[in-house]
Amino acid sequence: MRKFGLLLTATVLVAGSLVQAGTAQAAVPAGVFQDFETETDLTGATVTLPQADKIERTADPTHGASGVKFSIAPAATPGATASSGLTLNAGTPSLPASDWSGHTLLGFDFFTEQDRTVVGRITVRDQANKAYGVDYKINARSWTPVDLRLSAITAAGVDISRIAYIGISMPRAGTTVVGHYDAFRLVDTDPYDKTAYGDQAAAQLLRLTDFNGILTKLAAQIATLDRQLGHAAADERLRAQVAAAEAQCAELRQTLSAGPMTYAQYAPFNAGVTALQRSVPRLANTIQARSHDKHADFGLESADSMSLVYPKDLPFSSIGPSPLVSLTRGEYENVQAVVLPFAEQLNDVQAKVTSVSGPAGALTASVAPVGSLNVTPTNQYHRPTYAGWTPDPIRDDLSSVDVPADTMQPYWIRLKASPNARPGIYRVKAAFSADGKHTRTMTVSATVWPVTIPDRPKLNTTFQFTPAIVNDIYGITDPAAQEATKHTYWSFLNDYKIEPDQLYTCPCIPSSPGPVIVPTPVEDVLYIRDHYGLRDFNAFYLWAGMLNPSKPETWQAQIDTWISQLRTAMDSYRAAGVDKYAYVYGFDEANGPLLQAAKQTFAAVKAAFPDVPIMTTLRDNSMGVDTGLAGLVDIWAPQQDLYNQTVAERTRARGDQAWWYPDIATGSPLPNWFNGYPPIDSRTLMGPMSYKSGVEGVLYYATNRWLRSDHANQLLVNDGVLSAWKAATFNGTAGDGSMFYPGPTGPMASIRLENFRDGMEDYNLLWVLSHDVAAKPHLPPALKAHATKLLAADDVVSDQRNFTEDPVRYRHWRTDVIATITAVGLMH
């Protein structure tokens, strides 16, 4: 590829050639106004990480003779953010048109030769700092003509006659990511003819992408599949699929060899290559299952519980037909079974646990189909994520499902070892039947170790659960029924290691207009204490929204009201003997003038209730040092991407706690529990990552954000295994604020929540190992050194941005932890 050789830093400007950024320019006529035809055209453009990200002119245009290539450094690069942006700044040659008025659209071209499908972000900001943002699709080896409707930008309050900049971002990855931009244009008609731009993009994509290598590799994979098949009816059906893949590959190779393509020809060609890249390994999954039992009517494989088995399109990593599971006494563990049709639909597929055998003691097991939701990833994911049917709800409500010929159906097998289970190997047998087919049995071998973990979590949680949302979507109006339902959900949360609590102490839906904030009723506290045990509880939410940041003279009156409400509540807690468990949470993500309001409020709370801890998520990355809040806040909870280990350790040294929390801004490379993220992320976050960082707790703003407005067409997950329930929650990001589901009659678990609980149990394992090592100071040096290494969790976690997503590696480390606890326990 021929390059024109300009490497850009953050603010390279040429003196005398620029217009003042604050000076309005005349509106330009319709057409291409930035084509990157000269080196000067790049002057004034900026990139997020100038020491590592770069832009350069290359001979890969969609218009004219050149375009711009944007290369962003890997996620592990020091100082790297989750995404990197290319910004064209008004008043510089990089954005020669800053008055877009009088036109209908702003358009430009994006394409990438990389096999990477993800979502990027575009931000347009005016000189008064008003901004408009929108996602754009980055499709593998594809051209994306981006059109921004100017009326939508002005509707967001942006003055399109005084544009300050346009910023375009791409998520980082484990390796360098590249994208090409060209032909920034103003357009007066909609739609308009983009054919010439697309045809140019097709020419560049064919030149830059090694399609010949991709298709040659696929042809070799297809040939190996045919050789694995026999001559039974099922084999012949699968052989027909192999032959179809072979014919498709040959046709694609012929199309490639025929020469240049228009984009109208290129798009189906590239889609065909993508489809073949998915279908060949997926067919390999099925043929592997066939090879494990050539007399079976359908395949039965297993998969790790930290992975996803997509029903459509994508392959999965099989761990064989006879999975092995390892768990300690008092612990849950999970594995997935996968039913694979042999190129024919399976009807009335049912699964049930038929027996559990092994040493005396209680090991229980259950099996249920995994449901899927139609997920559309947003730019918040910051990583390539499949768009389509994504597994997550565990459908204990479905006794049978139909499995179409092109579908793989995962099942969730949940095991629980009682605290008194005898160590040894247990065998769990699960039978899978289908109408007119011979029943198949999967045997799960479960090793129970002579180790018992505490049932109560050692890692604290403060997670919002909102009963009012449950009452709304189920139509529960009777107060007694509402109370009983609340207790059902509390028990569910407690089973999944989440202590029932409310961040936003409100009997309403917190996001509703004018929520009424009241202290937590003492009756709720006593119920939680008596049924689940009480670690702590939020007595009251100090809602900064009740303070006017521009009128500090009015703050004290509201603070006095809060103190009065708290005094009444604390009196009731004291009378019930639970006052020592109370804390106060306030000033959720507050910044600016509200930091001073927080200081005034917290000082008043401390003066009135010196023994009541104060927790906050306000924006102070110094945890009190820079704002003067040190000594007023007891529990600091920054969002995870703002958590600084050095600052946190300094905070703990003065006697305060340092927590963290994920939220919608916590995208890859940090872990989160968005739908479609690898489930191992949830487990790692709550287990070794939180232990390694030393956080005392994890906070989360919502567990059941099922607003009626988001789910009007399907309030409950009570339909088919491919549910119409809308996965998108806060700002369209699936899973944000929703960790489980509203089932037909109550809470429905998710793969993400199961992995959350597994992570909490892994945290407890580390606590047990640390406790046991500390209790035996005279351990052999080699054993103590090995235990110390495992407690550091370096094999699976470096920090919150660098951790393994390989279940095999994770399980090797986890088994080593259990084995080392066992070895330490044998020492006298």
Side-chain angles (χ1 to χ4, degrees):
M1 177 176 59
R2 185 161 56 91
K3 300 179 180 179
F4 296 106
L6 179 69
L7 244 150
L8 215 60
T9 57
T11 52
V12 178
L13 304 178
V14 179
S17 65
L18 308 183
V19 180
Q20 290 286 329
T23 303
Q25 299 181 30
V28 296
V32 175
F33 64 82
Q34 176 54 282
D35 221 11
F36 304 108
E37 296 298 288
T38 70
E39 297 297 321
T40 302
D41 288 338
L42 291 174
T43 305
T46 61
V47 295
T48 300
L49 197 65
Q51 65 269 34
D53 305 333
K54 64 179 181 179
I55 57 174
E56 55 196 323
R57 285 177 59 237
T58 62
D60 309 318
T62 59
H63 185 269
S66 63
V68 66
K69 177 182 175 182
F70 181 28
S71 302
I72 67 174
T77 304
T81 50
S83 291
S84 180
L86 162 64
T87 302
L88 307 180
N89 293 288
T92 77
S94 70
L95 188 60
S98 60
D99 183 352
W100 300 346
S101 56
H103 302 290
T104 302
L105 302 172
L106 171 78
F108 63 89
D109 295 318
F110 169 84
F111 69 86
T112 179
E113 67 271 27
Q114 293 182 312
D115 189 1
R116 175 174 164 83
T117 297
V118 70
V119 180
R121 188 73 173 172
I122 302 168
T123 302
V124 176
R125 193 175 295 274
D126 68 13
Q127 293 174 23
N129 210 32
K130 293 287 187 179
Y132 168 82
V134 67
D135 292 350
Y136 74 106
K137 292 182 178 179
I138 298 172
N139 293 317
R141 303 182 300 257
S142 290
W143 166 62
T144 300
V146 177
D147 291 318
L148 304 183
R149 184 171 291 278
L150 296 181
S151 60
I153 299 177
T154 57
V158 175
D159 182 354
I160 61 170
S161 70
R162 296 175 60 82
I163 295 298
Y165 69 74
I166 177 171
I168 314 159
S169 71
M170 294 190 294
R172 297 189 191 274
T175 57
T176 300
V177 172
V178 299
H180 302 261
Y181 300 90
D182 200 11
F184 284 76
R185 50 197 179 260
L186 290 165
V187 184
D188 292 341
T189 58
D190 180 33
Y192 66 100
D193 186 6
K194 309 182 189 80
T195 303
Y197 303 111
D199 291 348
Q200 278 281 72
Q204 311 308 342
L205 287 164
L206 286 167
R207 184 171 56 81
L208 295 170
T209 306
D210 183 18
F211 280 112
N212 185 60
I214 293 170
L215 292 170
T216 298
K217 182 179 178 181
L218 284 168
Q221 292 172 338
I222 293 168
T224 64
L225 296 180
D226 186 70
R227 293 194 291 270
Q228 298 175 49
L229 292 169
H231 299 284
D235 295 284
E236 293 301 339
R237 290 195 301 271
L238 293 173
R239 179 171 282 108
Q241 292 189 338
V242 173
E246 186 176 39
Q248 184 183 7
C249 187
E251 182 181 348
L252 290 168
R253 296 179 84 171
Q254 183 176 6
T255 301
L256 181 64
S257 65
M261 301 180 203
T262 64
Y263 195 79
Q265 296 167 322
Y266 174 85
F269 165 78
N270 182 47
V273 173
T274 299
L276 200 62
Q277 285 179 301
R278 290 177 170 181
S279 64
V280 170
R282 190 171 167 90
L283 189 52
N285 280 150
T286 305
I287 291 174
Q288 179 191 43
R290 177 70 180 161
S291 70
H292 288 152
D293 188 342
K294 292 185 176 295
H295 302 290
D297 292 329
F298 55 88
L300 187 60
E301 295 289 296
S302 64
D304 198 284
S305 60
M306 289 183 273
S307 64
L308 292 175
V309 179
Y310 290 86
K312 307 285 187 181
D313 299 332
L314 299 185
F316 73 99
S317 297
S318 173
I319 56 175
S322 303
L324 307 176
V325 174
S326 183
L327 67 166
T328 66
R329 294 180 297 208
E331 189 176 40
Y332 287 89
E333 193 51 84
N334 309 280
V335 70
Q336 296 184 80
V338 187
V339 170
L340 302 96
F342 290 152
E344 62 175 352
Q345 176 160 315
L346 301 174
N347 297 315
D348 192 24
V349 179
Q350 300 183 31
K352 61 180 179 180
V353 173
T354 56
S355 67
V356 178
S357 61
L363 180 78
T364 58
S366 64
V367 59
V370 175
S372 292
L373 306 172
N374 207 343
V375 172
T376 301
T378 65
N379 74 299
Q380 301 293 348
Y381 281 62
H382 298 310
R383 65 182 297 159
T385 306
Y386 171 75
W389 292 109
T390 301
D392 195 46
I394 298 174
R395 301 299 303 271
D396 294 285
D397 61 309
L398 297 178
S399 58
S400 73
V401 298
D402 293 337
V403 183
D406 64 346
T407 299
M408 296 175 181
Q409 179 57 54
Y411 285 80
W412 196 258
I413 301 177
R414 184 187 295 120
L415 310 177
K416 171 67 183 298
S418 74
N420 62 354
R422 289 186 60 185
I425 298 176
Y426 292 75
R427 308 270 191 243
V428 176
K429 291 188 176 182
F432 296 81
S433 63
D435 188 26
K437 306 298 181 185
H438 291 96
T439 297
R440 296 208 59 186
T441 299
M442 174 174 285
T443 300
V444 180
S445 297
T447 299
V448 176
W449 288 76
V451 171
T452 304
I453 66 167
D455 182 59
R456 295 290 305 281
K458 294 300 179 181
L459 178 65
N460 211 340
T461 58
T462 293
F463 281 35
Q464 168 73 18
F465 164 68
T466 306
I469 291 177
V470 176
N471 296 333
D472 179 47
I473 63 170
Y474 284 95
I476 304 171
T477 57
D478 176 65
Q482 290 180 343
E483 194 74 2
T485 300
K486 178 174 67 177
H487 297 161
T488 296
Y489 277 79
W490 280 355
S491 294
F492 175 83
L493 291 168
N494 184 69
D495 286 344
Y496 281 93
K497 312 302 182 186
I498 298 174
E499 184 175 6
D501 202 3
Q502 274 202 319
L503 273 177
Y504 313 111
T505 55
C506 171
C508 58
I509 299 173
S511 59
S512 59
V516 177
I517 309 298
V518 297
T520 297
V522 68
E523 296 80 9
D524 284 359
V525 179
L526 293 176
Y527 188 95
I528 291 169
R529 181 197 66 183
D530 295 342
H531 289 79
Y532 319 115
L534 188 63
R535 184 169 186 164
D536 50 34
F537 70 95
N538 180 25
F540 191 45
Y541 173 48
L542 302 170
W543 182 34
M546 300 185 76
L547 300 177
N548 187 334
S550 63
K551 294 183 177 181
E553 67 276 7
T554 65
W555 293 347
Q556 191 59 49
Q558 179 58 58
I559 294 170
D560 291 342
T561 300
W562 284 339
I563 296 297
S564 177
Q565 288 177 284
L566 256 177
R567 183 167 286 112
T568 300
M570 290 302 299
D571 287 345
S572 69
Y573 303 149
R574 191 174 298 108
V578 294
D579 54 304
K580 65 180 179 181
Y581 300 104
Y583 67 90
V584 172
Y585 173 70
F587 287 79
D588 192 274
E589 298 185 345
N591 57 20
L594 288 175
L595 293 178
Q596 184 58 41
K599 190 173 182 179
Q600 185 173 332
T601 302
F602 294 164
V605 172
K606 280 294 182 188
F609 313 101
D611 296 328
V612 176
I614 294 174
M615 174 191 285
T616 186
T617 56
L618 59 74
R619 298 297 196 217
D620 177 4
N621 294 342
S622 73
M623 296 190 184
V625 172
D626 295 343
T627 58
L629 284 163
L632 295 176
V633 173
D634 304 278
I635 305 170
W636 296 88
Q639 67 185 56
Q640 198 184 7
D641 50 332
L642 300 177
Y643 178 90
N644 181 290
Q645 190 67 39
T646 301
V647 172
E649 289 171 0
R650 179 182 67 189
T651 299
R652 294 187 187 104
R654 68 172 185 252
D656 296 337
Q657 294 184 18
W659 295 28
W660 61 17
Y661 68 93
D663 67 354
I664 195 168
T666 311
S668 179
L670 286 87
N672 210 316
W673 35 68
F674 299 152
N675 286 72
Y677 262 43
I680 192 174
D681 283 25
S682 297
R683 186 165 189 165
T684 302
L685 170 60
M686 302 310 299
M689 185 177 290
S690 287
Y691 188 90
K692 184 184 185 76
S693 71
V695 297
E696 291 87 352
V698 179
L699 176 148
Y700 197 52
Y701 85 100
T703 56
N704 65 318
R705 194 181 191 278
W706 312 321
L707 302 182
R708 181 177 287 270
S709 57
D710 290 335
H711 303 285
N713 295 329
Q714 181 81 35
L715 291 177
L716 307 178
V717 181
N718 61 353
D719 51 346
V721 73
L722 301 182
S723 176
W725 195 82
K726 187 179 176 183
T729 49
F730 182 61
N731 281 358
T733 298
D736 185 82
S738 174
M739 298 182 68
F740 57 101
Y741 300 100
T745 60
M748 177 183 288
S750 67
I751 291 177
R752 295 172 298 129
L753 188 62
E754 294 281 349
N755 275 271
F756 173 96
R757 177 166 63 188
D758 289 340
M760 294 289 281
E761 291 177 336
D762 292 343
Y763 187 101
N764 276 13
L765 274 178
L766 292 167
W767 182 90
V768 169
L769 178 57
S770 176
H771 178 271
D772 289 359
V773 168
K776 296 186 176 182
H778 302 298
L779 288 174
L783 180 57
K784 187 172 184 178
H786 187 64
T788 301
K789 178 177 181 294
L790 291 171
L791 289 168
D794 292 337
D795 289 346
V796 290
V797 176
S798 297
D799 54 40
Q800 64 259 41
R801 287 175 172 80
N802 298 279
F803 56 96
T804 186
E805 290 187 323
D806 177 9
V808 174
R809 183 173 172 183
Y810 189 100
R811 290 202 181 278
H812 177 78
W813 166 81
R814 176 185 138 84
T815 302
D816 201 355
V817 171
I818 299 172
T820 304
I821 294 172
T822 305
V824 171
L826 294 174
M827 295 292 168
H828 298 289

